[in-house]
Amino acid sequence: MLEAAAISDMYTRGMSASEIGRRLGLSPSQIFHRMDRYGIKRRSRSEAAYKKRNPLGDPFHIKRELVQEERVLKSVAVGLYWADACKSNPLSVRISHTDPQVLRTFVVFLRDICGVSQNKIRVTLIVNHKMLVKEAESFWSEQLGLPVAQFSKTTVLKGKKGIHRRIQHYGTATVQVHNQKLRQLLDR
């Protein structure tokens, strides 16, 4: 049973079957066989990949004890998230808008309530063909307090009659954090 405890401990700390096998002088298939025999629950592939990418645990820490101002911020931000139609990617938390104040509120929520490191927040832009990309990136960078280095490639829409009339002068920005686990928590 000492072997079972050792395998369980290493696996719980995030080690893969290959890593455990190297430590114990066994093959990965022997580790899996022993895990099944000892009743140690195995991770799914996505759980294993998440553990591998985040060896120190989740890259966010949702704040539980909130003061009144933080509860209001959380309510507003979650409402914005739920009202937004950017739910096509199940691996990220994102909202799009033309109003910088809306997106700034969401950035503060991600950073202060969800505990997401500011350098993990990404921005993508969609701008009209008449807009200078550098000018739009500079505007949104200043408004959101995020460096242009965290912006993905900006999409420039070609000038077709009647398309995307709602795009504001500086375009539409999408604020996003790529983390499936955070997405699942916000979707509850």
Side-chain angles (χ1 to χ4, degrees):
M1 277 321 241
L2 202 55
E3 181 183 59
I7 291 172
S8 179
D9 179 59
M10 287 186 269
Y11 196 69
T12 302
R13 285 187 287 137
M15 292 177 71
S16 68
S18 296
E19 293 167 328
I20 296 168
R22 280 193 292 277
R23 288 234 176 135
L24 300 179
L26 300 168
S27 71
S29 61
Q30 289 173 311
I31 295 298
F32 285 131
H33 175 75
R34 283 169 170 77
M35 288 174 69
D36 292 342
R37 187 170 59 195
Y38 300 138
I40 300 169
K41 187 175 180 281
R42 290 163 51 174
R43 294 185 282 269
S44 68
R45 287 182 191 242
S46 65
E47 290 170 327
Y50 188 86
K51 278 264 196 202
K52 193 59 107 181
R53 283 193 303 275
N54 301 291
L56 302 175
D58 293 328
F60 62 89
H61 304 284
I62 296 178
K63 195 173 184 180
R64 301 284 176 215
E65 300 294 321
L66 304 175
V67 296
Q68 178 60 27
E69 186 178 298
E70 292 170 327
R71 284 193 296 273
V72 170
L73 171 63
K74 180 180 178 185
S75 296
V76 168
V78 170
L80 290 170
Y81 170 73
W82 275 95
D84 199 64
C86 290
K87 296 196 178 42
S88 61
N89 184 341
L91 305 177
S92 67
V93 174
R94 61 174 65 187
I95 69 167
S96 295
H97 215 282
T98 58
D99 185 344
Q101 181 58 44
V102 169
L103 295 178
R104 196 170 28 249
T105 299
F106 199 68
V107 168
V108 171
F109 164 72
L110 290 172
R111 190 187 61 222
D112 296 353
I113 305 298
C114 295
V116 173
S117 174
Q118 187 153 316
N119 66 350
K120 295 285 187 186
I121 301 171
R122 299 286 180 256
V123 179
T124 58
L125 299 178
I126 299 175
V127 298
N128 187 296
H129 70 285
K130 297 176 184 175
M131 183 71 216
L132 296 174
V133 171
K134 295 291 182 204
E135 187 179 339
E137 290 173 345
S138 177
F139 170 81
W140 285 105
S141 175
E142 182 181 315
Q143 291 295 314
L144 300 176
L146 298 170
V148 174
Q150 289 176 218
F151 285 46
S152 299
K153 183 178 178 187
T154 298
T155 302
V156 179
L157 297 176
K158 304 295 180 215
K160 293 184 180 175
K161 185 178 178 183
I163 193 164
H164 299 286
R165 287 184 187 166
R166 296 181 322 170
I167 291 189
Q168 184 237 24
H169 180 68
Y170 290 104
T172 299
T174 300
V175 170
Q176 57 195 331
V177 172
H178 298 288
N179 190 291
Q180 182 178 13
K181 194 169 183 181
L182 179 59
R183 165 72 187 261
Q184 289 168 344
L185 290 171
L186 290 178
D187 281 351
R188 287 186 192 169

